[in-house]
Amino acid sequence: MKHSILKTGLLATHNLILHNDYNYQGGDVEGATFVGGDLNTSGQASDFGSKFGTKVNANNAALSVVGDVNGSTTWNGQTIYGDIHVQHGDFVYGGALNANPIMNGGGAVYQDKSLSIANIWNELTQASTDTLNAITSNQKELTYTGSDAVAVFNYSADDLFAQNTSLMLNAGSADTVVINVSGKAIKAGGGTNLVNGFNHNGIGAANILWNFYEAESVDFNNLAMWGAILAVDADLTGGAVFDGSVAALSYTGAREFHKFDFNPPVEVSEPGALALFALGLIAMIRRRKIA
């Protein structure tokens, strides 16, 4: 029998998806960005404006903002609009445009008041609850010894992101890795690093998904993340760099989001009883949060 997992292609078509606000403090997003709340770039000097869509196809939307775009800054003692640089593709917004769009690739700028993140978020939330076999190993190395195409690890954030931890990954015969991380208020310890198996010599950022399925906040501190991040209930901060797509409640910070498209499997082997128990537990947690 077969079982569907991660029934979404959104992490392959978008580099950054936020349900609420993007409080931009620097950096850039190479792929497409979809913000369900406001884009706030206030405080950025006009000649160093925010950058979006470096690696977006010219015919696609590089930046979509459901709410307002706020890019005011102080220049020579006056409050002026800050620049929003879109390198390729279009810029669409639903609320007020309080910024100065710079369309370096010749894309269009237009308002669409019907813009909504509701369907996108329903799909991502469902993807976050899709899990497979629970595989555990020691805290320093994630090692998969099974034969499935997808290796799934279940860990607590405290074990994974402890102070001065160097995480290694051995995906074995699997071509996709899912790491389900438990914990509500998560902060990566100082000196935490992703090393062997996570870099270009390993399975690759496009084949790894971190599922922070119950997190309400994640501070990546100075950790350079490798792989896609799914944290539908969490406000994110920190991080040295993000090599992979990110979907979260909000993000505040000054970091780069690099375009490594995560292409999840459509069907894989049906999970065992332990995975089904984990899936039911996650669903129960979510029902309690809603109640």
Side-chain angles (χ1 to χ4, degrees):
M1 297 178 65
K2 295 291 184 179
H3 171 71
S4 297
I5 180 176
L6 303 174
K7 295 174 287 189
T8 179
L10 291 169
L11 297 177
T13 58
H14 291 78
N15 205 167
L16 179 62
I17 307 174
L18 302 173
H19 185 275
N20 296 341
D21 296 348
Y22 182 11
N23 299 308
Y24 176 93
Q25 297 174 349
D28 66 82
V29 185
E30 292 183 346
T33 300
F34 199 109
V35 178
D38 297 337
L39 171 61
N40 302 309
T41 70
S42 299
Q44 298 299 308
S46 61
D47 56 344
F48 295 100
S50 50
K51 296 181 180 179
F52 296 89
T54 306
K55 296 184 178 180
V56 169
N57 187 297
N59 297 321
N60 296 330
L63 177 59
S64 302
V65 180
V66 174
D68 298 338
V69 181
N70 302 309
S72 62
T73 189
T74 300
W75 188 260
N76 291 332
Q78 295 182 333
T79 300
I80 61 174
Y81 283 163
D83 293 342
I84 305 290
H85 288 266
V86 179
Q87 306 303 94
H88 300 98
D90 296 341
F91 176 14
V92 54
Y93 60 95
L97 180 59
N98 303 312
N100 181 36
I102 306 295
M103 308 303 291
N104 295 316
V109 180
Y110 59 95
Q111 185 179 41
D112 181 358
K113 293 184 178 180
S114 68
L115 197 62
S116 172
I117 198 170
N119 291 337
I120 290 175
W121 212 249
N122 287 339
E123 187 172 316
L124 289 171
T125 300
Q126 179 60 50
S128 182
T129 63
D130 289 337
T131 59
L132 283 178
N133 301 346
I135 306 296
T136 56
S137 63
N138 60 63
Q139 297 177 12
K140 296 282 186 180
E141 183 174 358
L142 290 82
T143 300
Y144 183 65
T145 58
S147 58
D148 288 336
V150 181
V152 178
F153 302 89
N154 294 337
Y155 271 94
S156 73
D158 289 341
D159 289 339
L160 284 175
F161 303 128
Q163 186 87 12
N164 296 321
T165 297
S166 292
L167 290 172
M168 296 175 284
L169 173 66
N170 182 352
S173 61
D175 54 28
T176 301
V177 170
V178 176
I179 306 171
N180 292 309
V181 184
S182 65
K184 291 189 175 183
I186 299 172
K187 181 175 182 178
T192 305
N193 292 289
L194 306 183
V195 291
N196 298 341
F198 284 100
N199 51 32
H200 289 289
N201 296 323
I203 193 171
N207 302 303
I208 299 172
L209 174 70
W210 299 82
N211 182 23
F212 296 91
Y213 60 89
E214 65 178 8
E216 296 176 357
S217 66
V218 183
D219 181 353
F220 290 101
N221 204 345
N222 291 317
L223 175 60
M225 287 302 293
W226 190 262
I229 294 170
L230 191 55
V232 295
D233 293 322
D235 297 305
L236 306 187
T237 56
V241 67
F242 295 92
D243 284 338
S245 301
V246 174
L249 200 62
S250 72
Y251 181 76
T252 299
R255 293 296 177 260
E256 295 184 359
F257 296 83
H258 296 163
K259 190 176 184 294
F260 290 88
D261 299 336
F262 178 71
N263 291 295
V266 176
E267 290 185 305
V268 293
S269 300
E270 186 175 18
L274 182 57
L276 292 175
F277 171 77
L279 184 60
L281 180 61
I282 294 170
M284 181 179 68
I285 292 172
R286 291 190 179 281
R287 284 197 297 270
R288 287 182 176 178
K289 289 181 67 176
I290 292 172

